[in-house]
Amino acid sequence: MREMKFADWIRGARPKTLPLAVAPVITGAAVASVSGAPYDPRFLAVMLLCMGVALFLQIAANFANDYSDGLRGTDVGRDARCADDIAESQEPDVTGAAGVVDTTDASVASDRVDFGKSDSRVGAVQSDAAQTDTHPGAALPDLAQSDIVQSGSAQPGMPQPCTPLAPASRRNAPTRLVASGVAPRHVLFAAGVNAVLACACGLAVCALTGYWWFIAVGAASLIAGWCYVGGSHPYGYHYLGEVFVFVFFGLVAACGTMFALSGRVTAGGVCAGTANGLVAVAVLCVNNLRDIESDRAHGKHTWMTALDRTWGTVFADALLVVASILAIAQVAGWFVSVPVIIAVCVFMCIVQIAACDAISRVDYRRALPLCTLGSLSVSLVFAAAAFLV
């Protein structure tokens, strides 16, 4: 076990995911402005505080997920201490038209033989490599069996020895703190600190607006963040993660911000929040597509494990398309400057198309940041339209 360093705080916050928290707040503020809320210092203060609530809740949830998944052993193979060793051990990148590293059975078996010299389990792993199972439509080999071999020796809450015997998708997955040897209690403490900061921002919003019932919304958000993969019955392991992400990263964040700023929620606000929520679900789907073999091995049931890789890819792409259509349809009714709004909508569509392309090519390392940027691009459409109204 080791103490948390400053770099661990940054890495555990998962900065690349934070636009998902900011985007629906921007959307809610834009819709509130269109609905008549005066743009004054109070408007700006409440909007920034709502953004603080969303950001700190997201960071708290990220640390809590790291803590819970680390204890359950779900993050085995995501050790930052051996990331460089794994990268050095892999064959040189061979990319085709899809831009994805070629991970054929032969190269996977070769990698395992190299590492097997120092691992007593090499015989079992090599046997698995000869019987690699591939899901229908999958572009990467399913190495769940070797993941089970690796996770079989995992001790809950204990850092595991550095081993590269993880599926190819896990090798490209972001590292996690508990899996990298950080003491779980320190990760839990980091989650608590950010939860307290979120509560402080939330209380400030209540004081400025007089809507003290927002405390109940904040409490529900904290509970949802913890129970995603924490507790004895985490809903993220039982097909409900996508539902809660849609609700809290879409409707609650956008509509809550709109109500705090304007005192009401309109149908337009719900539509705008839905667009952001769909993109947030798409990000989760990409994450779960990347981890589909490991999730199955650890009994984590998601929509992607149910749909499988082929239909899961279609579903994630469809979410991005529908979100873009909703955003364009919403601002079309605001009668704003056509040339400017067309330019912003084109930018959003380019980002979403690039994200769909990356998902279809099984390039999840590129797809995740593009989907996150897609959430911001949706909010940019609403913000630009609100500015021009």
Side-chain angles (χ1 to χ4, degrees), residues 5-345:
K5 301 177 182 178
F6 178 75
D8 294 324
W9 282 84
I10 300 300
R11 182 156 52 90
R14 306 181 193 178
K16 292 181 180 180
T17 69
L18 299 186
L20 291 174
V22 175
V25 175
I26 295 174
T27 297
V31 180
S33 176
V34 173
S35 68
Y39 190 78
D40 53 20
R42 176 184 174 278
F43 183 101
L44 182 61
V46 172
M47 182 186 72
L48 291 176
L49 286 170
C50 287
M51 198 171 292
V53 172
L55 276 172
F56 289 123
L57 278 176
Q58 163 96 21
I59 296 172
N62 287 343
F63 278 113
N65 293 347
D66 194 310
Y67 169 81
S68 297
D69 278 340
L71 292 183
R72 293 178 187 277
T74 309
D75 284 340
V76 168
R78 301 174 74 165
D79 190 339
R81 296 169 297 180
C82 58
D84 293 337
D85 294 337
I86 292 175
E88 292 174 1
S89 68
Q90 292 176 330
E91 296 292 331
D93 290 354
V94 180
T95 57
V100 183
V101 177
D102 182 9
T103 52
T104 59
D105 289 359
S107 64
V108 173
S110 175
D111 285 345
R112 288 176 172 175
V113 170
D114 291 340
F115 287 111
K117 294 177 181 179
S118 60
D119 196 312
S120 61
R121 295 171 294 169
V122 65
V125 173
Q126 288 175 320
S127 175
D128 289 341
Q131 304 177 22
T132 301
D133 178 27
T134 304
H135 294 292
L140 294 177
D142 182 359
L143 306 180
Q145 293 183 8
S146 65
D147 196 41
I148 295 174
V149 172
Q150 178 185 357
S151 62
S153 60
Q155 298 297 321
M158 296 296 290
Q160 300 306 307
C162 174
T163 174
L165 298 176
S169 61
R170 300 294 278 178
R171 297 181 186 184
N172 293 323
T175 58
R176 294 292 180 250
L177 299 182
V178 175
S180 299
V182 177
R185 68 178 183 278
H186 296 314
V187 178
L188 184 61
F189 173 77
V193 168
N194 283 280
V196 169
L197 292 174
C199 291
C201 291
L203 289 174
V205 170
C206 293
L208 285 175
T209 62
Y211 303 136
W212 291 98
W213 56 268
F214 273 166
I215 293 176
V217 178
S221 300
L222 286 171
I223 294 171
W226 171 255
C227 293
Y228 174 60
V229 293
S232 56
H233 300 286
Y235 63 81
Y237 279 66
H238 301 285
Y239 302 111
L240 291 175
E242 292 81 358
V243 175
F244 278 80
V245 164
F246 172 76
V247 171
F248 285 95
F249 282 88
L251 299 180
V252 171
C255 296
T257 300
M258 182 183 183
F259 193 92
L261 293 171
S262 65
R264 59 177 177 161
V265 175
T266 63
V270 174
C271 180
T274 297
N276 279 118
L278 291 176
V279 179
V281 174
V283 172
L284 180 61
C285 288
V286 172
N287 185 78
N288 290 339
L289 280 170
R290 182 197 64 204
D291 296 339
I292 192 169
E293 293 89 0
S294 176
D295 287 346
R296 282 174 173 154
H298 291 89
K300 184 176 182 180
H301 304 295
T302 68
W303 288 8
M304 297 302 98
T305 61
L307 292 173
D308 210 356
R309 197 179 298 279
T310 300
W311 286 108
T313 297
V314 173
F315 181 73
D317 288 345
L319 290 173
L320 296 175
V321 172
V322 173
S324 300
I325 293 174
L326 281 175
I328 294 172
Q330 176 71 13
V331 300
W334 291 354
F335 304 105
V336 297
S337 174
V338 174
V340 176
I341 203 61
I342 286 179
V344 178
C345 288

